[in-house]
Amino acid sequence: MSHLASAASHPDFRPVVSGVLSQQTYVGNENQSVLVSVVIPAYRCAEYVAEGIESVLGQSLTDLEIIVVNDGSPDTAELEAALLPYVGCIRYFKQATKGPSAARNTGIRNASGKYVAFLDGDDYWTSDHLAKNIAVLERDAGLALVYCDCILVKDGKPFSRVFLVQGQSSSVSFDSLLLQSSTISTSSVVVLREAIVAAGGFDETVRRCEDFDMWLRLAFQGGRMAYHPDAEVYHRVHSASLSADSLAMIRDRVRVYEKIASTFTVSKEQRQIIRRMITKSQSDGFVAQLKESLERKDYVEARDAAHCANAVESTWKIRLTMLGLRVAPRAFGFLHRSRAVLLQKRSHLQRRTLQNGQPLQEG
């Protein structure tokens, strides 16, 4: 079912129509055709959104429009104050809180561009991001979507890149997405508008992993995808974001797999991949719960999580953990926390190395 019905069918959908944002002002010309529509869903991002908009206005490709969708953000007053200097540069929409899928769909419905680029409200781009992605799309008219690497930022400082954390398959396909060997960061995506509309848009019933669901559906329906290796997006990692809740993310990833398996006629091999990835995701979830319990020194809960992880997927690490928690839980917990501190120090060292000369971007 398409989630991109006409805006008129949504009674709480309110385009802005005058000159002051706090009075629900419409900013921009919706009838002007552009090459790229940049869609920025805004929710609890008032302190960051201006940096994102500046990065769009600073693009070397200038045939674009900016659509900001306020998804009923609790910090609306601060958000609209941050947006006020950009009157005339953006199109601003306000709606009741429905989640990131609905906010992006509002942007897609109202986009006038041939392509749609997504930028989360707390992320920002390098100046050539759109130009590089569009160049790939224009070289191959059969492509529906292009994405790229992202620089990960924490506490205002870059510390790693997505493609360093997760290597990418040489080609992007439905199978590589299922296997998570193609990992698409939404803020790096430029997609053909007609392709994402034909795929039905983002599923507004999916709260987390909605992008994973979207790309799987687009690929299954024949949308060809590609990527380039340059890191052109800065993605903030912080506790306020939905993706910071790793346990909930894992659970919702399983739901997406189950939805795909029940919705599409997948091959026997693809169904086996889905079952395998559900098992892995469930195991990852119990392991994450196990680590969290050890950090809190809740050894009873840690033992329960270890048993659950072992029941789903038995590995030597899990079996060793179960033994340690049974024989000497406090000592095992101390060793775990000490190792976590060492890994954190190593991560800080890598971050400082990246900041002091090692390039974060490939040329």
Side-chain angles (χ1 to χ4, degrees), residues 7-33:
S9 65
H10 297 269
D12 61 343
F13 175 81
R14 297 173 292 173
V16 220
V17 280
S18 108
V20 180
L21 289 171
S22 60
Q23 296 176 355
Q24 297 181 340
T25 303
Y26 175 81
V27 184
N29 180 4
E30 77 272 30
N31 298 316
Q32 181 179 355
S33 179

Side-chain angles (χ1 to χ4, degrees), residues 266-278:
V266 297
S267 69
K268 179 181 177 181
E269 292 76 14
Q270 289 166 341
R271 196 167 294 278
Q272 289 173 342
I273 291 173
I274 290 172
R275 281 198 293 265
R276 191 164 71 247
M277 294 307 293
I278 286 176

Side-chain angles (χ1 to χ4, degrees), residues 6 13 19 23-24 56-57 68 101 128 144 164 168 173 190 199 211 225 247 251 267 286 294 300 307 313 340-341 355:
S6 168
F13 175 81
Q23 296 176 355
Q24 297 181 340
V56 179
L57 294 174
V68 179
S101 290
D128 288 329
L164 292 177
Q168 302 296 294
S173 65
V190 179
D211 47 355
M225 305 178 184
L247 284 174
R251 294 188 192 102
S267 69
F286 288 125
L294 287 172
V300 173
H307 280 288
E313 187 177 33
V341 170
Q355 291 168 355

Side-chain angles (χ1 to χ4, degrees), residues 60-75:
S60 56
L61 185 153
T62 58
D63 188 8
L64 58 84
E65 65 176 353
I66 303 172
I67 299 173
V68 179
V69 182
N70 177 351
D71 190 46
S73 184
D75 63 353

Side-chain angles (χ1 to χ4, degrees), residues 236-247:
R236 282 191 174 88
V237 179
H238 53 80
S239 59
S241 67
L242 284 176
S243 59
D245 191 346
S246 59
L247 284 174

Side-chain angles (χ1 to χ4, degrees), residues 50 169 179 228 231 363:
S169 172
L179 288 164
H228 68 80

